[in-house]
Structure formats: C-alpha cells, structure tokens
Amino acid sequence: MNKPYHHGNLREDLVDAALAATDRDGAVPSLRAVANLAGVSHNAPYRHFDNQADLLGHVAARCFAGLSDAIKRATAAKDEPVSRARAGLAAYIQYGLQHPARDQLMFGDTSPLASHGAVQGAGEQAFESLVSAARGFGADDPYPIAFRVFVMLHGAVDLLRSKFYPPGVGDDHDFLREQVVDSALKVLRGE
C-alpha cells in the first residue's frame, strides 16, 4: 500500500527513484512505476511533473549533472593544463561507459535535450567543460573545437560500449580509449 502524500522533497525523491530504475533497467520508468518505487500514490508524481516527458527531462538533467560532476572530480586535483584536460576527457568517456542507460537518455533518439529547459542548461554546463579546456589552450573560438572533441568522445563511448573494433584496430579497450583521449587532447591543443 502506498504512503499518503506528505513528503519532504518528493520531486527529488521521484527523480532519484527514476534514475535508479534507469540505471538498473535501462529505461526511465513510467510515472506510475516511479510512484510505486517512491512509495507514494499514483497521482503524487503529477503534482511535480506534467507528464512522462517532463520526468524524462528532469532525469536527463540529473544525468548531465552527474557527467559534469565526474569531470570536476577527475580534474580537481590536476594543476597542469594537459593533465587536467586528459583527466577530464577520460572521465567523460568513463562516465558514458559506466552509465550506458544515462548516456542513451542524454544523447539517444529519445533525448529531451532539445526540448526541455532543465536538460538544456545541464547539457550546456557539461559542454562548457570542453569549451573551458579549449579556451585554456588558447583557442580564440573554443566552441567549434569543443564540438569536435565532443563528437570524438561521444563516438568513442558508443563504439567502445558496443565493442565494435574495425579490422586492424585491435580490441584492447583501454588502449583504444587512451588513443581517443590523446587525439582529443591534440584537437584541444590546436595540433
């Protein structure tokens, strides 16, 4: 039986429950399922989200925030620009590989990136880490450089996750990931 609706921060608890289910099951659950997971009435989520797409947007925004946090943690102790950039690039790839459902939600066919305000802001914040890295290496116009690096990293996550290794490339996952980081670092440095 569900608990009555008198909850401290139900919106955040619902997003937490949806994110945990997404990580576990590979997809954002329905509002009804999220209500069950949070132990509230089936109508309670509608007090906080307009519909399933709205919930999806808030979960995706949390995923982008997680990506930004992973990059910040990886780069926090790095003083030297090259080691900081290398750590941030590797963290980006690692986050996508460790959280495939989140990566799919952020960038897949059903991504609410273009249509949900919370997602746009969180996505821009994650992208800004690449812009900042390009700017740190002296780029006059860091946005095109950041986009090129973003494409490289995103493509690497997809291919490494699928374990698609073209003939002649080998299948050493760690080596290939490092090759992508090295290549992305060269782009950031303008080489």
Side-chain angles (χ1 to χ4, degrees):
M1 176 176 245
N2 290 328
K3 299 175 193 169
Y5 179 77
H6 52 83
H7 211 277
N9 193 354
L10 184 56
R11 175 190 276 273
E12 290 304 309
D13 289 349
L14 291 167
V15 172
D16 289 344
L19 184 58
T22 300
D23 286 340
R24 183 187 64 237
D25 303 332
V28 177
S30 68
L31 284 170
R32 185 178 191 93
V34 170
N36 284 336
L37 291 168
V40 296
S41 76
H42 295 147
N43 290 328
Y46 291 99
R47 294 184 179 118
H48 301 280
F49 304 103
D50 295 335
N51 51 36
Q52 177 71 15
D54 190 27
L55 171 64
L56 188 77
H58 285 279
V59 174
R62 181 78 66 83
C63 295
F64 275 110
L67 173 60
S68 292
D69 290 345
I71 293 168
K72 286 176 188 170
R73 281 192 309 275
T75 60
K78 309 290 184 193
D79 293 328
E80 196 269 320
V82 172
S83 63
R84 185 173 42 252
R86 182 179 293 285
L89 295 167
Y92 183 104
I93 293 172
Q94 193 60 33
Y95 186 85
L97 294 175
Q98 285 179 333
H99 304 287
R102 293 181 187 196
D103 189 69
Q104 183 63 30
L105 176 59
M106 292 187 295
F107 301 114
D109 293 341
T110 61
S111 173
L113 184 57
S115 62
H116 197 282
V119 181
Q120 288 174 329
E124 288 169 5
Q125 184 180 4
F127 183 71
E128 192 61 35
S129 67
L130 297 174
V131 171
S132 178
R135 193 176 283 128
F137 287 112
D140 291 331
D141 188 2
Y143 290 92
I145 293 168
F147 183 73
R148 286 177 52 206
V149 171
F150 166 74
V151 169
M152 292 172 75
L153 298 176
H154 182 64
V157 169
D158 281 350
L159 292 172
L160 289 170
R161 188 174 50 236
S162 72
K163 298 190 182 345
F164 174 73
Y165 307 115
V169 172
D171 62 359
D172 183 338
H173 192 83
D174 294 333
F175 174 76
L176 294 172
R177 185 175 63 227
E178 284 304 310
Q179 292 295 303
V180 171
V181 168
D182 288 345
S183 296
L185 186 57
K186 286 179 181 177
V187 171
L188 285 174
R189 295 175 73 174
E191 295 176 7

